[in-house]
Structure formats: structure tokens, C-alpha cells
Amino acid sequence: SYTLRDPQGLEHHYSMQRDLGNLYYEVIPDSSIYGFKRYYFKTLLPIGSPPGLWGVSSITLFDKARNRKYYNFVEIVRFDVEESKVLKVNPYVEILGKKVNMYNADSASVKIGCISCKDQNYRLRMYSSMGGNSVVFEGKMTADTIQLKNLNLKGVNDGVLYATVFILDSSKALIGTGKAIYTKDTKPPTSQKLQTNLANFGKSNLDSLIVQIETDELNGSYNAVLVQTSIVTNSTNPLSYQNVSTFSTNAVGDSILLIGNYTSGKFNFNMSELKNMKDGIITLKFYLKDSLGNTGSVITKEIYKDTKDPVIAISQTTTSGLTSTLTLRTNETIMNTLDSAAIVLKNALYKSITKVDSKTFRLVVDRSCNDTLAIDIKSGSLVDTVGNRNMLTSLSSIETIVPKSPTVKDLDGCQGSAVNLTATPSTGNTLKWYTSSSGGTGSTTPPAVSTTTPGTNNYFVTEVANTGCESQRVQIKVVIKPVPTKPVISWNGSELTVANTYTTYQWLLNNAIVTGANSDRYKPLNPGTYRSIVTNNVACADTSAVFELLVTSASGTMLDVNKIKVFPNPVSNSALIDLGKTPSKAVTAQLIQLDGRLVGKWNLTQRKQDLQLNYVLPGSYILIIYNGKEQKEIKIIKQ
């Protein structure tokens, strides 16, 4: 629709519609496909219209969605007195601040004055080159220079602002004029648009972040505030890593202010200060100021900064025999997938890998019987949402499938005694025995320990799991200690004695321990069979041969041991014993081997008596002659 004004000032309204037959408006969703178009309309003026020049005073456009735009073409012309010879003063007018914007449009301050103007009248008129109201403020000059405050200029259109002051005398006659020209703009920057090429960014593209601004203002300044809304700390990740920003100490809520000027409706501004901020959510608050100081609305945008490499943690999920399923878990979302080329295995063979979710991978490998499984994830294999890539990750803390070595302890024993090898395996495992630290064939039964010769022997044992994997060999040291020289009991006429070269002694009577008899000699109180148990300095023991002691009444004739003789010596078949006198009581003679075994025994009732030795084997023997009080030992040799 549009309005025509005839030469007489009367206005006539007309409406035009392209599809006059269509009474319904159809909204077309995508209007971006339509550009500017030119339309022509012919209008038949009414009968009797005055002749002359007609004009268009306004046009209103409606689209099919009933959005409306109104255009007014009426111009207002004003006339100001510029100069006059009859005027007496030259007043001046000044808008304080030199501009009228959205903040002072209803409270402008104007200063006016001239020489000798006190008590005169003033009339201040303010209007715009773009039309609108023409406001007038009148009053009396209370001084040569006065200041008018809180002047409301809202009805005056934006544009070139004229301020004209008239000085009038008491009769309202004009005595002087003054004028000043300013700019009035009360519209904030509109159509301002902020966009970034990256919503999230990392260390690889930190310098690629571009912030672009579009506005309908050509000159002005901008304020951008970067606020640390949140911080991603190391504690949120399974493994520790470092921030590439080595000098950032800001906390949540800290901000950085960026200020700059622009001379184009489309420009970029530098965001290098982001390098000084910590990882996390950073809120960008942005607004423009035009050349008159009007401030546009604040535009807020959140961007996420992440300069940390993806971190991988690994754990063993299940094991079946030698096949292990492992879980690789990252601390953040991963955009790509892993394949066998990115994984280096030690002590295992690759089978498959599956991406479970954005942070988790499942790896299946066939293990070998070795101490540990080692995995290397090559650098650059994982890419997070902002393009950060992992460093080389080496992981060797996977649970071993090789069993631990069994629990053992070293053993010792005495020469000739039995020593049995033992070890304790874990539940469900078995043992395998070896006689060397490496090589050889293992046995499920422990080897027999030889104790014939003193010395140290080493034996080895392993633990075998149900997977067939075998532990490291563990050594059992067996020390065989020598036994002492077999003790020989002697009778000195009043005591039983053995050599005093041993460490400990214990006498036995009829195989029972004699309490307190713990030295190399013992004075017997009762008849019977005596033995002595001795130990050496390595705590090994041996026992003497049985020594039979017969005790007779003390009233019997005493033997004169110094007069007893045996001849011949060496002897062949028989030997003659001469006691030196005929005994009144029985005297006993025993022939024993050097190891203590009894070979022959005789009762002597005569001074001289033959002993038949033809059944005795050749060798050395001890002939013991005693009567319960005295005893004599004679070494004889049988030929």
C-alpha cells in the first residue's frame, strides 16, 4: 500500500496485491532464495483530481507472512536566521559530551551563553536532519553562561542534530543567534553477529581459532571478556598429565578483557589470550560500542579448551587359558578407532580389537607363558574431539599368567640321615622338580637326597598352572653335615670314658638316658649295658657300641690289673691269660671288635686260662678283663 499527496496537500491511499484473486497468504519457509525485485504499479487518479505535481508520502510493504515495513518520505524544512546586522550579541551553544546517544537522549546537558547576556531571554530549539520532533526550551539567562540539564530529545530523530539558540530582549525582540551541529544516534549496534570457526579446540589448533564479528555499524569499538567458567584438572583423569599452558594460574571466575576498535562492519579479533587460560569451558562475552558510545546487546558464546593428550588406562577383564581380554579406557571421547597397526605387543599375539563406546576399546590377545604382557600404543593413534593425539603409551602392568614360584625353605641334615624335599604350591597348581637351575627334564616327584657324603647340594622346583605355564625355578639348598667319629667306651677301673673331642655327651644305661651324665666320662653305679651318644660342632650325633659292665661284690679279691698278661700277641688259635693270682670270685673276659660288637665272652676261675680264638676272624680286637671293680683293656691282634 502507498499514499499519494496531491498538489493541494490532500492524501490518497491505494493498495496493490500481486495475486488479487488469492485471499489467503501462504508463508514460504525459506525466504533466503528471494533477492531484491523491482515492481511497477499503475494507478488511475480519481476523477476531479487537481492538476499539478503529485508526490509519494509513504509506502508500506507486507510479505505473505504479514510482516510489515513502513517507509515515510515526508521531509520537514526549517529556516534559521544565520546572520543579521541588527543583532547585538553572538551567543554560543554546546551539547556537553559532544554527542547524544541512547544513554543521554532523555537527559542531555546543553551549555549556552554570550557576553552581557545576563537577564536576557533564551530560546533553544533542537531538531534533526532526519525529521521528527523539534523541541524548544525557553527561559531567562541567570548568568552570562548557563547550563541546561535533563533535556529530553527522544522525539528528535537520529541523524545530524542541530541546536539553535536565540537570545531575546525583554520585549522578545531577537538580539542574537547561535548554532551548533552534532550527531544524534540512540540506536545500539544491531545485527551484530559473533561466530567462531571452532567450538572446541586443542593444542594442535589453538592458533587456528578465528572469532568473526558482523555488524551494521562501520566505526566503533568492541569489548570482549573471556571468563574461565570451569577448569579441567588432572584429578579428573585416570593418569596424570601436564597442561601446555605453563604460566596460567587463573581460577574459575577469572576473566581477561580484550578491547579494540573496528572500522568495518565485518572483522576478526585476536584471541591469543586463550593461551593463558586453563583447560575447561571458557565463556566469551562480547559487545560493540558505536562511534557515539551506544552499546549493543551482549553476545555470549561458550567454547571448550582442551590441550591435554588422551590418556589410556588398561585392565585385564577375563582370561581363558592363554587368551586374555583387555579393556583400554581413555579419559575423554575418542573420535577414531584403533587397529592392529597402532598396537605393539610383547609376549602375546594380536587377535582382535573392538570399539565398545567413545572411550572404551576391547582388545583380545593370545598370551605366551612369560612374566608379563607389554603393550605399546603408538603416538598419534588416538584423536580426541579437538584434535589432540596421544603420546607413545607403554603399559606393562597387566596381571601375569605365569604362576608364582612355590614356597620353599633350605634344608640341612646329618651324614647318613634321611632328608626329604618339600615345597608348597598355590591352590590348583602342581610342582615340577629339577636338579639344575636350567635345562634338564622336570619330574613330578622330588629327587632323592644323597646323604652319604657331607657337602652342599642344590635342587630346584617350579609351580605349573592349569594353563601349562611354569613359574621360575626356585632353589632349595640342602647341606649335609658330617657326623662325629664313632665314640669308643673305655673302662679305667672306676669310670667309663670316651674321647673328649666332641661337643656334647649323653650316657645311656640299658637304652635309657642317664640324667646328668653329660660329660666325656661317667662313673657307673649299676651294672648293665652302657652306650654314649656324642655330637660334634655341627650338631650331628653318633652312638658308641654297647659296653657291658658287670659289677660284683666289693668283698671279692681285687684284680691286680698291672699283673694281667696275655700271650702270645699277635695270636693264632688260642691265647693264655695270666691274672697274676687265682681269683676268689668270678672274673669276666670280653673280646670286642673296634666298633664295639661283642665277639667272645669267658668266665675266668683260674690264674691261667686258655682262650680259644680259632673262630675269630683276623683283625684287631680289644680284650676287656673285669670283675666289677677293676677293668683292664688289652689290644690283641688275631692272625
Side-chain angles (χ1 to χ4, degrees):
S1 64
Y2 49 95
T3 302
L4 299 182
R5 181 174 292 180
D6 65 21
Q8 297 178 353
L10 301 179
E11 292 189 335
H12 308 267
H13 300 283
Y14 299 91
S15 293
M16 299 296 297
Q17 185 170 321
R18 245 183 121 188
D19 46 351
L20 293 177
N22 184 3
L23 301 179
Y24 300 96
Y25 292 93
E26 296 177 357
V27 178
I28 300 176
D30 188 3
S31 61
S32 63
I33 62 175
Y34 297 98
F36 286 98
K37 293 185 179 180
R38 188 183 301 273
Y39 296 96
Y40 294 93
F41 299 100
K42 292 182 179 180
T43 301
L44 180 63
L45 299 179
I47 298 176
S49 297
L53 185 61
W54 289 58
V56 179
S57 61
S58 67
I59 295 177
T60 302
L61 300 178
F62 297 86
D63 64 14
K64 289 195 172 187
R66 299 304 290 170
N67 297 305
R68 180 182 119 167
K69 183 71 174 178
Y70 174 75
Y71 298 90
N72 189 301
F73 304 102
V74 176
E75 297 185 7
I76 298 175
V77 181
R78 293 183 176 84
F79 298 91
D80 287 334
V81 178
E82 296 289 341
E83 296 182 0
S84 174
K85 294 180 180 180
V86 300
L87 300 181
K88 300 177 180 180
V89 295
N90 294 312
Y92 70 89
V93 57
E94 176 185 359
I95 296 179
L96 299 181
K98 309 297 184 182
K99 58 189 175 183
V100 177
N101 56 25
M102 60 189 295
Y103 301 108
N104 65 352
D106 57 353
S107 59
S109 296
V110 177
K111 182 168 68 173
I112 59 177
C114 58
I115 300 175
S116 301
C117 285
K118 183 180 180 183
D119 297 328
Q120 303 296 337
N121 297 310
Y122 68 85
R123 179 183 297 133
L124 175 63
R125 182 183 296 276
M126 303 185 75
Y127 56 91
S128 170
S129 62
M130 298 304 293
N133 294 339
S134 175
V135 295
V136 177
F137 307 95
E138 295 181 307
K140 190 172 183 177
M141 298 286 291
T142 57
D144 287 345
T145 300
I146 64 173
Q147 183 174 329
L148 306 179
K149 297 181 179 181
N150 296 321
L151 303 183
N152 193 337
L153 306 180
K154 278 192 173 181
V156 181
N157 289 347
D158 289 359
V160 178
L161 180 65
Y162 295 95
T164 302
V165 62
F166 299 92
I167 303 298
L168 309 172
D169 61 14
S170 57
S171 63
K172 304 295 183 178
L174 181 65
I175 60 175
T177 62
K179 184 173 69 172
I181 300 175
Y182 297 94
T183 300
K184 181 176 184 292
D185 182 1
T186 60
K187 294 182 179 180
T190 58
S191 302
Q192 58 183 13
K193 183 171 64 176
L194 178 148
Q195 61 183 11
T196 59
N197 63 329
L198 300 173
N200 303 322
F201 58 94
K203 61 183 179 182
S204 63
N205 56 7
L206 182 60
D207 295 328
S208 303
L209 179 65
I210 298 174
V211 178
Q212 188 178 78
I213 304 299
E214 293 185 16
T215 178
D216 55 359
E217 298 282 350
L218 297 181
N219 293 284
S221 62
Y222 64 83
N223 283 13
V225 181
L226 298 173
V227 180
Q228 190 81 55
T229 305
S230 72
I231 293 176
V232 177
T233 62
N234 289 354
S235 60
T236 61
N237 300 315
L239 298 175
S240 178
Y241 45 78
Q242 295 295 323
N243 193 329
V244 295
S245 179
T246 58
F247 50 87
S248 59
T249 58
N250 55 301
V252 172
D254 287 355
S255 61
I256 298 175
L257 175 63
L258 306 176
I259 300 176
N261 298 316
Y262 66 93
T263 57
S264 171
K266 186 175 182 179
F267 64 94
N268 302 335
F269 69 90
N270 187 2
M271 291 285 285
S272 60
E273 291 294 333
L274 283 172
K275 294 181 179 179
N276 299 339
M277 304 191 77
K278 291 183 178 178
D279 286 3
I281 297 175
I282 299 171
T283 301
L284 171 61
K285 297 181 178 181
F286 181 89
Y287 63 90
L288 293 174
K289 286 185 178 180
D290 62 17
S291 57
L292 289 186
N294 298 304
T295 302
S297 58
V298 176
I299 301 175
T300 301
K301 185 175 184 64
E302 286 188 344
I303 52 181
Y304 183 73
K305 179 182 179 183
D306 176 12
T307 58
K308 301 175 181 67
D309 298 325
V311 178
I312 310 166
I314 190 168
S315 60
Q316 182 164 287
T317 307
T318 59
T319 298
S320 177
L322 291 177
T323 299
S324 290
T325 300
L326 310 171
T327 297
L328 281 65
R329 184 171 288 105
T330 61
N331 64 313
E332 56 183 316
T333 298
I334 300 300
M335 300 303 294
N336 63 329
T337 59
L338 281 176
D339 55 28
S340 59
I343 302 173
V344 179
L345 297 173
K346 182 180 179 182
N347 301 328
L349 295 176
Y350 171 87
K351 288 191 71 175
S352 65
I353 189 166
T354 305
K355 189 171 185 179
V356 179
D357 55 39
S358 61
K359 296 183 179 181
T360 310
F361 298 86
R362 183 179 295 116
L363 174 64
V364 181
V365 298
D366 281 338
R367 303 282 297 273
S368 61
C369 287
N370 210 301
D371 286 342
T372 57
L373 166 64
I375 301 178
D376 287 346
I377 307 298
K378 295 180 180 179
S379 60
S381 302
L382 300 175
V383 183
D384 65 13
T385 56
V386 296
N388 297 317
R389 294 179 177 269
N390 68 297
M391 302 295 288
L392 173 64
T393 305
S394 297
L395 305 161
S396 58
S397 59
I398 304 303
E399 178 186 357
T400 178
I401 60 173
V402 177
K404 296 180 180 179
S405 298
T407 303
V408 300
K409 63 179 180 179
D410 291 336
L411 303 174
D412 56 31
C414 293
Q415 182 180 2
S417 62
V419 176
N420 297 319
L421 296 173
T422 61
T424 304
S426 302
T427 303
N429 294 347
T430 58
L431 299 176
K432 187 174 285 189
W433 296 89
Y434 296 88
T435 56
S436 60
S437 60
S438 62
T441 302
S443 173
T444 57
T445 57
V449 178
S450 174
T451 62
T452 303
T453 305
T456 300
N457 294 314
N458 294 322
Y459 300 88
F460 303 87
V461 64
T462 65
E463 192 165 320
V464 182
N466 56 6
T467 60
C469 293
E470 190 173 358
S471 72
Q472 296 290 325
R473 298 185 187 185
V474 62
Q475 175 181 286
I476 301 176
K477 182 170 66 174
V478 179
V479 178
I480 303 301
K481 298 178 291 184
V483 296
T485 304
K486 193 173 189 66
V488 177
I489 300 175
S490 298
W491 172 255
N492 62 9
S494 63
E495 291 179 316
L496 298 174
T497 64
V498 293
N500 63 353
T501 58
Y502 304 107
T503 302
T504 66
Y505 304 83
Q506 179 62 60
W507 291 90
L508 303 178
L509 173 58
N510 300 327
N511 292 324
I513 293 176
V514 180
T515 303
N518 303 117
S519 69
D520 60 338
R521 59 190 60 242
Y522 175 65
K523 190 172 185 178
L525 301 177
N526 298 295
T529 57
Y530 285 88
R531 289 186 298 163
S532 179
I533 301 175
V534 298
T535 62
N536 56 14
N537 57 356
V538 292
C540 285
D542 203 353
T543 305
S544 69
V546 172
F547 186 92
E548 187 173 359
L549 181 63
L550 298 177
V551 181
T552 61
S553 173
S555 62
T557 301
M558 303 292 289
L559 282 176
D560 189 350
V561 295
N562 294 321
K563 293 181 178 181
I564 298 175
K565 297 178 181 179
V566 177
F567 55 91
N569 192 6
V571 62
S572 295
N573 293 320
S574 66
L576 178 66
I577 298 178
D578 185 355
L579 299 178
K581 64 179 180 179
T582 302
S584 59
K585 297 291 183 180
V587 174
T588 302
Q590 287 184 339
L591 184 67
I592 64 174
Q593 293 181 353
L594 295 181
D595 61 2
R597 286 184 294 174
L598 182 65
V599 177
K601 184 177 180 181
W602 300 268
N603 291 323
L604 305 179
T605 59
Q606 304 294 325
R607 174 183 175 181
K608 295 180 179 181
Q609 185 171 334
D610 286 328
L611 301 180
Q612 295 300 318
L613 300 177
N614 54 348
Y615 67 91
V616 178
L617 296 175
S620 296
Y621 296 88
I622 302 295
L623 181 64
I624 302 174
I625 303 167
Y626 60 93
N627 67 350
K629 292 292 185 178
E630 291 86 16
Q631 176 176 306
K632 183 172 183 176
E633 297 180 7
I634 300 173
K635 185 176 181 180
I636 63 174
I637 298 174
K638 173 69 167 61
Q639 293 181 339

